[in-house]
Amino acid sequence: MEKRYGLPTAIAMVIGIVIGSGVFIKGGKVLALTHGNMLQGVLVVGIVGLICIICSLVFAELGSKYEKVNGVVDYAEVALGPTYSYYVGWFMTTIYYPCLAAMLAFFSAVFFLALFDIPTLDFFVTGTVSSEALGLGAGFLIIGYGINAISPKLAGKLQVSMTVIKLIPLLLMGIVGIIVGFSTGATQNVLNYVNSPEYAEAIEGTTAFQGVFSGVASFAFAYEGWIIATSINSELKDAKKNLPLALICGALFCTVLYCLYIFAMSCVGDVETIIGTWPLGEKLPKIAFSVVFGNTVGTVVYAFIAIGCLGVMNGLIMGSSRGMYSVSARNMGPRPEFYGHIDDQNGFTIKSTIIGMMFAGFWYAWTSIFWMYDFMGGLHNCQWIAWEPDEICIINLYAMYIPMFAALMFKDKGGNVFKRYILPALGILCCCFMVYCCWVGKGYQQVCGYLIFFALVMFVGYLLKTPKKAK
């Protein structure tokens, strides 16, 4: 690969990849999980940001040694060989990419309908999800895969433009919202809430930081994508020096911006309004922007959020469309010669895209039936099958990093003590902490139920695995 990128470009790529719709979707949820404790909400954002920085630096160290790597599947192959990389690729293809794409399609629908004050979710009163939200989300998902299959170049251009759009509301609220909140006294009202009888009643029977653990497991969604940024090392000038710098600077920028945005939500002034936007928090940005900028400007900026949400969905679909191809390119998985075929007309992996859309359709149906509260007869109440797929599969990926980091410690030769032992050990601790947060936040039933499902998917992958031919 040509060494075409300098440090500024690499930093911009990290920021563009990491910042998405997650902070808008999960921001209200984190504040609800911490029972309106604004400082704990900011702490959640900082903890997840620090974890991402440490883990990305471990991958950067791997990338500096093996410049051929291109994404997490390649890192897995370098660390533990082709068999482990196959199962990581199988997980990414069948669960990770299509599951997140399906959830983002639904989230996008919720944001767009909120623009027109069309009710979509009423989890705690009637326990319903509107058919408009489910239908529009399914339409977004189909259109997204269609664009990627027919015109991958157009999909790439859309991704760039939507990246710029989603930065606007974050910067505006992160700066102006805090100024308005302090000037009106709204922020102080929110900060004082932790001293109120209502807050004491809300946290009664829970540990001091239980909401923080739950919030970490949820907010990991907002940072997901940083692993993709490590794949540019083969095209980066002086990668050994610039990739770690890009990851640190980019992740720090995202963390600071996220913290400012979450803190700026205090401009609403009423804690009950803030935490009342649970479970998705999709109404909170609209309320906050309307408070700061007025209804008209607030609605326009909120539209930017909805468009940015579609941009994240498109990025995940781009990864999903290449999922089966990435497995087949290693001559592994079901019929690699078939799914690894590149279409002659548009030079793209049409068959892999169709498989990705089928998996995404499965996850959209799963989410609609099992996760939506009281939908289809209240199956959401059964914790063994009602795990929130977009959050728990991200924690699953962190768990899959652990043996890769351990391999760097024990298999790699050379390098100083910090890079070979201390840094990967910190990465392992971070991943274990994420798993612990998931266990505490989700409960053993959801975690064990998901692990049973995951084991079944991996067993199917084992049955379909094709031995890699000798070169």
Side-chain angles (χ1 to χ4, degrees), residues 147-162:
I147 291 174
N148 276 271
I150 297 171
S151 180
K153 289 185 178 179
L154 175 60
K157 292 178 180 178
L158 287 173
Q159 191 63 26
V160 174
S161 60
M162 289 176 177

Side-chain angles (χ1 to χ4, degrees), residues 70-305:
N70 183 29
V72 66
V73 179
D74 281 338
Y75 283 110
E77 183 168 2
V78 164
L80 293 167
T83 299
Y84 188 74
S85 71
Y86 165 73
Y87 287 110
V88 173
W90 183 251
F91 163 75
M92 302 289 284
T93 300
T94 57
I95 298 179
Y96 181 84
Y97 280 130
C99 168
L100 292 180
M103 293 298 287
L104 261 299
F106 175 73
F107 293 154
S108 299
V110 169
F111 275 101
F112 268 97
L113 291 175
L115 275 172
F116 305 99
D117 292 322
I118 299 175
T120 55
L121 302 172
D122 192 11
F123 275 21
F124 295 115
V125 181
T126 61
T128 58
V129 178
S130 71
S131 56
E132 291 88 351
L134 292 173
L136 183 60
F140 283 153
L141 196 63
I142 293 170
I143 292 171
Y145 274 98
I147 291 174
N148 276 271
I150 297 171
S151 180
K153 289 185 178 179
L154 175 60
K157 292 178 180 178
L158 287 173
Q159 191 63 26
V160 174
S161 60
M162 289 176 177
T163 296
V164 176
I165 288 173
K166 66 192 176 185
L167 281 172
I168 295 173
L170 274 174
L171 290 169
L172 281 175
M173 180 54 70
I175 297 172
V176 181
I178 290 177
I179 295 173
V180 171
F182 275 111
S183 63
T184 61
T187 295
Q188 195 60 50
N189 289 338
V190 173
L191 294 176
N192 290 337
Y193 177 73
V194 295
N195 300 318
S196 68
E198 291 81 7
Y199 178 74
E201 182 181 350
I203 64 172
E204 186 177 357
T206 65
T207 59
F209 286 96
Q210 186 171 339
V212 173
F213 294 140
S214 301
V216 167
S218 296
F219 204 73
F221 181 90
Y223 281 94
E224 198 55 20
W226 59 264
I227 182 62
I228 303 171
T230 62
S231 64
I232 65 171
N233 63 340
S234 61
E235 302 168 75
L236 191 60
K237 298 174 183 176
D238 196 3
K240 187 174 292 188
K241 173 185 174 183
N242 286 335
L243 185 58
L245 281 175
L247 290 167
I248 292 173
C249 294
L252 279 175
F253 177 86
C254 295
T255 302
V256 171
L257 190 57
Y258 280 177
C259 288
L260 289 174
Y261 173 81
I262 293 294
F263 191 75
M265 293 298 100
S266 61
C267 70
V268 173
D270 179 29
V271 173
E272 293 299 326
T273 300
I274 293 174
I275 64 179
T277 59
W278 169 281
L280 296 182
E282 82 286 352
K283 295 179 183 178
L284 181 57
K286 187 176 182 180
I287 295 171
F289 279 104
S290 296
V291 167
V292 176
F293 301 103
N295 289 330
T296 302
V297 177
T299 301
V300 172
V301 178
Y302 189 78
F304 288 174
I305 297 174

Side-chain angles (χ1 to χ4, degrees), residues 393-452:
C393 77
I394 290 173
I395 306 302
N396 187 167
L397 185 58
Y398 274 96
M400 298 180 89
Y401 294 155
I402 294 174
M404 297 163 62
F405 293 170
L408 178 61
M409 295 174 65
F410 297 110
K411 292 176 61 177
D412 191 36
K413 303 298 180 183
N416 58 46
V417 173
F418 177 79
K419 290 183 177 180
R420 182 177 175 183
Y421 295 108
I422 298 177
L423 186 60
L426 288 173
I428 291 172
L429 288 175
C430 288
C431 293
C432 290
F433 178 72
M434 295 292 272
V435 172
Y436 174 76
C437 288
C438 185
W439 181 269
V440 173
K442 301 295 183 185
Y444 78 93
Q445 290 176 314
Q446 288 194 38
V447 174
C448 292
Y450 171 79
L451 288 176
I452 292 171

Side-chain angles (χ1 to χ4, degrees), residues 330-402:
R330 291 170 166 78
N331 198 37
M332 304 179 86
R335 300 183 63 187
E337 75 287 347
F338 180 80
Y339 294 111
H341 176 260
I342 297 177
D343 185 71
D344 296 330
Q345 287 186 318
N346 66 356
F348 194 61
T349 55
I350 299 293
K351 296 169 184 175
S352 178
T353 303
I354 293 173
I355 290 296
M357 184 169 66
M358 292 173 64
F359 282 129
F362 165 82
W363 281 110
Y364 198 83
W366 176 284
T367 302
S368 302
I369 295 172
F370 295 117
W371 181 69
M372 301 303 180
Y373 187 87
D374 234 15
F375 189 64
M376 293 292 289
L379 290 173
H380 183 90
N381 295 321
C382 178
Q383 295 295 299
W384 290 90
I385 58 175
W387 26 268
E388 197 165 352
D390 63 317
E391 295 179 0
I392 205 162
C393 77
I394 290 173
I395 306 302
N396 187 167
L397 185 58
Y398 274 96
M400 298 180 89
Y401 294 155
I402 294 174

